Amino acid sequence: MLILFVIAGNAGSSAPVLRGIAHSAFEAEQSRDPPASLNMPKALAGRCALVTGSTGAIGYAIAEALAEAGADVCLTGFGEPDAIERQRVALAQTYGVKAIYRASELDTAEGCHTLVKGVIAHFGRCDILVVRVTAFEPRVERGWLRYVAELVEP
């Protein structure tokens, strides 16, 4: 599983970085040379990405970049249910991927584990995990760090 931590920034100025995230995900999953451009259709087809904080501008832009590259996506975050559903449908229809939403409490390793298990239960896999947090969410960051530590402990 490729795991990326993204700290808050300006979504508009972050577009090249977001493309780089999708490109890095492609590189991590391929044994051959990556394409010259992410405009290559479906570079991440068959992959599944979980993007936390993806109902907000930055997280959604990351989810969109991964969907554009062909990855199925799981959105998670806070917001109005109707707005979140519009985001989910837009990703699925625009990029021809599967997109789901899961509400989660991510301030504990257990909550993070439950979310990842739910994504795996739905998609059969979770290849890319993007943890999008802000400086105002230290509990969420600690929850994910504990979860990741549990993944890599022998």
Side-chain angles (χ1 to χ4, degrees):
M1 177 187 300
L2 174 67
I3 302 172
L4 302 165
F5 279 82
V6 178
I7 306 303
N10 181 310
S13 65
S14 299
V17 173
L18 303 178
R19 296 261 183 241
I21 289 170
H23 188 74
S24 296
F26 175 84
E27 286 179 332
E29 295 294 328
Q30 301 297 315
S31 60
R32 58 185 168 77
D33 291 335
S37 167
L38 277 179
N39 291 330
M40 178 180 160
K42 309 300 180 191
L44 295 177
R47 305 294 183 211
C48 173
L50 165 58
V51 184
T52 71
S54 51
T55 57
I58 296 168
Y60 186 78
I62 294 168
E64 187 173 32
L66 292 165
E68 181 181 18
D72 294 329
V73 294
C74 176
L75 303 174
T76 186
F78 301 108
E80 294 295 320
D82 290 343
I84 293 169
E85 179 61 9
R86 284 191 299 276
Q87 288 178 312
R88 187 197 66 74
V89 169
L91 286 177
Q93 290 179 346
T94 303
Y95 301 108
V97 298
K98 296 174 188 162
I100 63 172
Y101 170 78
R102 293 288 184 260
S104 305
E105 292 297 325
L106 302 178
D107 56 350
T108 66
E110 182 181 329
C112 298
H113 180 73
T114 299
L115 175 60
V116 173
K117 276 180 55 176
V119 170
I120 293 170
H122 185 87
F123 289 113
R125 61 190 304 145
C126 184
D127 304 294
I128 303 163
L129 169 61
V130 180
V131 178
R132 214 293 287 150
V133 297
T134 70
F136 304 109
E137 300 172 308
R139 289 181 14 208
V140 171
E141 184 177 357
R142 283 193 303 271
W144 279 110
L145 290 173
R146 284 191 296 273
Y147 172 74
V148 171
E150 290 174 8
L151 283 179
V152 296
E153 284 181 3

